[in-house]
Amino acid sequence: MHPSPGTARPRTTLGAVALPSLPPERLRAVARAADAAGLEELWLWEDCFLSGGVSTASALLASTDRLAVGIGVMPVPLRNVALAAMEVATLERMFPGRLRVGVGHGVQDWMGQVGARVDSPLTLLREHVTALRSLLAGSEVTTDGRYVRLRQVRLDWPPERPPLVGVGTGGPRSLRLSGEVADATILTGGTTPAQVARARELIDEGRAAAGRQDPHPITVYLMAATGPGATERLEREQRAWGHEPGPEGGAAGSAEEIAAAVGRWADAGADTVVLQPLTGEPDPEGFVRFVAEEVRPLTP
């Protein structure tokens, strides 16, 4: 739920992305800088064929004291759901409350490269998320789906408080599915405020169809650039990603200008805004410090 005009808005969570283009050996330094600066969340991408999401998250959680680490997202065709549940449960028990979990149907070309492409990605996503949430809740699961088949599977070490399972997506059918079966939704960089608002509507349609009343937070990645030539650099990045260049799909400028942009995405329905540095960012440690120390104090 989001407040009516004139009422206090819940505090927006602010995070940053550690891009997978960084060599794995650089990531612990970025996480330590984020932790020392007071950043709330640092998000990782499990893009093919770069760093593994679970192994990287484990290393970063172990290298920091309070930082939350998000995996956004793990492609479900790459993992048996029982293994995914074991890995998530292990991390949550080791680092309670500091793991953010996202799953998705994967980039289909990549899934084809590794022989994991399925005929119905949405069916797999539905079956996987449903089973994953049940396993993390400590339930015994038996299911004979199209893709997910389990017989009397129960985790020996389920987490005391299961983390929210978010779905990374953007299409209308996937957004409705996320509202129906997941706990949260993750929206990619380039998503405009209007698209966030529309995503919230579609998610709520799925929640209503499933009779769900629990909150469903939305996390959105927001491309951000600061320093000399920030606007021009952001627009080049947007074009490289195939997005329409301009302020509706990213934030550029000073800490004040970026914080104001975060507010626009939050007003549209985002509960967490994760600032995404540009590809080739020369100082990722400096970027996370900028987000935590300069943008965070100005954010609603």
Side-chain angles (χ1 to χ4, degrees):
M1 295 293 291
H2 286 265
S4 302
T7 63
R9 183 173 66 197
R11 185 174 188 267
T12 304
T13 300
L14 190 65
V17 176
L19 292 174
S21 53
L22 289 171
E25 60 269 22
R26 286 290 308 279
L27 293 172
R28 284 190 298 166
V30 176
R32 288 169 180 152
D35 199 39
L39 186 71
E40 293 162 273
E41 297 183 355
L42 184 68
W43 282 77
L44 311 168
W45 298 349
E46 192 173 65
D47 284 358
C48 294
F49 300 95
L50 298 158
S51 302
V54 174
S55 55
T56 304
S58 179
L60 301 194
L61 287 164
S63 300
T64 55
D65 295 321
R66 47 152 301 280
L67 180 70
V69 175
I71 308 174
V73 296
M74 297 184 288
V76 299
L78 296 183
R79 282 185 181 83
N80 181 283
V81 69
L83 175 61
M86 291 162 57
E87 291 178 328
V88 169
T90 299
L91 288 178
E92 178 60 30
R93 288 184 69 105
M94 287 182 170
F95 309 101
R98 294 176 54 202
L99 179 66
R100 308 290 182 262
V101 179
V103 299
H105 50 56
V107 175
Q108 296 309 295
D109 286 346
W110 289 341
M111 298 303 99
Q113 277 184 274
V114 298
R117 188 166 186 164
V118 298
D119 292 334
S120 179
L122 282 183
T123 300
L124 170 57
L125 188 60
R126 174 187 294 278
E127 294 177 357
H128 188 104
V129 171
T130 301
L132 178 60
R133 292 179 66 240
S134 294
L135 289 168
L136 292 174
S139 300
E140 181 182 284
V141 179
T142 295
T143 183
D144 188 22
R146 181 174 178 182
Y147 300 109
V148 175
R149 299 181 181 90
L150 302 173
R151 187 175 70 255
Q152 296 179 316
V153 175
R154 185 197 302 270
L155 296 180
D156 285 350
W157 297 107
E160 183 175 340
R161 296 185 62 184
L164 300 182
V165 176
V167 165
T169 187
R173 294 173 60 204
S174 298
L175 287 166
R176 291 189 186 95
L177 176 64
S178 182
E180 183 181 346
V181 303
D183 301 309
T185 297
I186 303 163
L187 302 175
T188 188
T191 303
T192 68
Q195 289 169 332
V196 172
R198 178 56 179 156
R200 174 68 70 183
E201 293 173 355
L202 293 165
I203 291 165
D204 285 345
E205 288 178 11
R207 293 173 67 227
R212 297 187 64 169
Q213 300 293 324
D214 50 326
H216 187 107
I218 291 177
T219 294
V220 62
Y221 299 133
L222 176 60
M223 293 182 186
T226 190
T231 298
E232 292 76 15
R233 290 187 290 113
L234 172 64
E235 290 180 350
R236 284 199 299 271
E237 183 87 354
Q238 289 171 318
R239 291 189 184 95
W241 282 83
H243 302 317
E244 184 70 25
E248 286 301 295
S254 65
E256 290 81 2
E257 290 169 313
I258 292 176
V262 170
R264 292 197 299 274
W265 268 260
D267 284 339
D271 301 279
T272 297
V273 178
V274 182
L275 296 181
Q276 174 184 326
L278 305 188
T279 303
E281 166 60 51
D283 184 11
E285 294 89 348
F287 182 83
V288 297
R289 284 192 289 265
F290 168 74
V291 175
E293 297 173 353
E294 299 187 45
V295 181
R296 169 76 272 178
L298 304 172
T299 304

